[in-house]
Amino acid sequence: MSDRSVKTSAAPGTLYVVATPIGNLRDLSPRATDILGSVTLIAAEDTRHTRQLLQLFGIDTRLTALHEHNEAHKANALLEAVQRGDSLAIVSDAGTPLISDPGFNLIAAARRLKLPVIAIPGACAAVAALSIAGLPTDRFAFEGFLAAKSAARRAQLEALSAESRTLLFYEAPHRIAETLHDMVAVLGGGRAASVSRELTKRFETTYRGTLTELAQQAMQDADMARGELVIVVAGAASEREATPVDVQKILRVLASELAPAQAAKLTAKITGRGRAELYEMARAFARDE
Ligand code: SAM
């Protein structure tokens, strides 16, 4: 371990990817503070937002805007400055840059130019939510934001339905109920899942349960749709069991001919899946038609 008392200074001609807090300002690491205070320039997603953060830490480094609309053309000029010896830090509004945030073009170009790129790690909402979800962490897939429209979202979920890794999603609060509803319909209501909202902030809450339980809670509890959210969903069950797609196909066919309770009962017999979970799925299919 290196000496905690030694202050780090930005090296010339180096690009730093600096994580900032996702809520609690004390999550800005001392090393991040050192680097942000000693680089020549900080490229920020929103300069006003980052200026406020820097002011709280007594940092007055020059800022420039780098967001999804100007990244492609601005990256070159920034990297030329790094090639001339400037040190540059990139930050986003919250958490780790590039993770559902701008920065990919800049870092890819820096790598092509063989410039030194250093990570200053810190908060990331997806990893924080995964670490407290109580779901398998040995293998996981980060999916970012799903599509805003239900048909496209369901198609994305269909493509993920056989994925056995734990799934991580970011979601906007006003879409949480409909997204959980789509997850029940496509992935099956019995999967264990969690929804973490407002991580590191005053109203931090993690809801846990099956997808069906969480979808029901989202309809009843307005608080669940307040603030920022990460959804964590258990991966598909092992291959020995029927895959979620098989289960859904069987249930869909039966539910198109029979009442939800009867379709669920028969599908449970065929696939070995829980009747209550299948009943909720069959009702979701019926509501969709
Ligand atoms: N780069 C960020 C990171 O490392 O987590 C993510 C940026 S992305 C534009 C913003 C999304 O991250 C939010 O819509 C929400 O889904 C999630 N998020 C950010 N902060 C959060 C928090 N404090 N609690 C829960 N989710 C959060």
Side-chain angles (χ1 to χ4, degrees), residues 22 94 96 99-101 124-125 145 170-171 198-199 228-230:
I22 55 170
T96 302
I99 307 302
S100 291
D101 265 341
C124 174
F145 289 93
Y170 287 157
E171 190 50 284
E198 296 290 86
L199 288 162
E228 300 192 278
L229 301 165
V230 183

Side-chain angles (χ1 to χ4, degrees), residues 59-136:
I59 295 170
D60 61 2
T61 305
R62 201 157 52 87
L63 285 164
T64 188
L66 186 77
H67 40 68
E68 55 177 336
H69 305 296
N70 72 358
E71 189 180 349
H73 78 264
K74 197 156 178 181
N76 282 345
L78 290 173
L79 294 178
E80 276 165 24
V82 176
Q83 283 177 309
R84 288 195 302 269
D86 281 359
S87 50
L88 174 69
I90 170 173
V91 297
S92 62
D93 286 353
T96 302
L98 281 81
I99 307 302
S100 291
D101 265 341
F104 170 72
N105 290 318
L106 183 74
I107 302 307
R111 285 294 180 196
R112 282 194 295 275
L113 293 169
K114 302 202 184 324
L115 291 170
V117 181
I118 304 286
I120 309 295
C124 174
V127 174
L130 175 67
S131 72
I132 58 171
L135 294 168

